[in-house]
């Protein structure tokens, strides 16, 4: 009788601790385990107006391959304006914004990152080419442009965020 009572008590405690453990476990979310990194400052010149954006922060982002296409807009149907020939962490980006869905194999994303292609033309890279992260997840280290609101005299919207 005593053994049965002890066994029931141990089973109840194990069940209780198990339920507490389940209740305390946070929900699992996808995480970008290779975020953009190494902020640097660059002077960026608008190719249309010549306006110079001095000291703009850019970040280096690891690409899964070389010869990554840079699109004129945030859409798979936009023209390719150039390529980033080197993969890995050799390429820098200015900002990220949502755009059209882009699919590459089983990878899919609507986040696009602004950069200058190796031929000097500006455009957007779909983040399916970024290392780390999951489908439809933005890069954890790349900055979003935020709202460009102002009163009275407004600075022009940066060309890399249009």
């Amino acid at each position: 009788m005593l053994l049965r009572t002890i066994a029931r008590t141990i089973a109840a405690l194990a069940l209780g601790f198990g339920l507490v453990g389940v209740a305390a476990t946070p929900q699992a979310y996808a995480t970008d385990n290779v975020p953009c990194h190494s902020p640097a400052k660059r002077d960026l010149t608008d190719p249309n107006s010549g306006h110079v954006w001095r000291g703009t922060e850019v970040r280096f982002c690891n690409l899964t391959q070389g010869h990554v296409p840079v699109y004129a807009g945030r859409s798979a149907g936009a023209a390719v304006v150039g390529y980033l020939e080197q993969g890995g962490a050799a390429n820098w980006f200015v900002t990220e914004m949502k755009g059209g869905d882009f699919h590459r194999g089983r990878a899919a994303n609507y986040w696009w990152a602004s950069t200058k292609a190796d031929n000097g033309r500006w455009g957007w890279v779909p983040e399916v080419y970024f290392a780390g992260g999951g489908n439809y997840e933005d890069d954890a280290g790349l900055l979003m442009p935020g709202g460009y609101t102002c009163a009275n005299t407004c600075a022009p919207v940066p060309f890399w965020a249009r």
Side-chain angles (χ1 to χ4, degrees), residues 54-69:
R54 299 209 183 278
T56 302
E57 185 173 293
V58 301
R59 292 178 183 244
F60 290 83
C61 303
N62 291 23
L63 299 177
T64 58
Q65 68 180 58
H67 199 67
V68 170

Side-chain angles (χ1 to χ4, degrees), residues 23-56:
T25 302
Q27 213 173 5
Y29 293 101
T31 298
D32 182 0
N33 58 354
V34 187
C36 295
H37 52 87
S38 305
K41 300 284 185 182
R42 302 256 173 168
D43 293 342
L44 305 178
T45 303
D46 187 326
N48 300 316
S49 70
H51 180 82
V52 178
W53 297 83
R54 299 209 183 278
T56 302

Side-chain angles (χ1 to χ4, degrees), residues 89-144:
N91 301 288
W92 54 266
F93 296 82
V94 185
T95 191
E96 65 181 359
M97 294 178 75
K98 283 185 179 179
D101 278 10
F102 189 93
H103 298 269
R104 180 176 160 253
R106 296 195 320 200
N109 211 328
Y110 46 66
W111 288 100
W112 295 70
S114 177
T115 192
K116 186 164 48 170
D118 290 347
N119 64 4
R121 297 198 52 201
W122 279 91
W124 296 89
V125 170
E127 290 191 16
V128 298
Y129 289 101
F130 280 31
N135 286 344
Y136 299 105
E137 182 178 48
D138 70 318
D139 187 87
L142 198 55
L143 306 174
M144 288 181 238

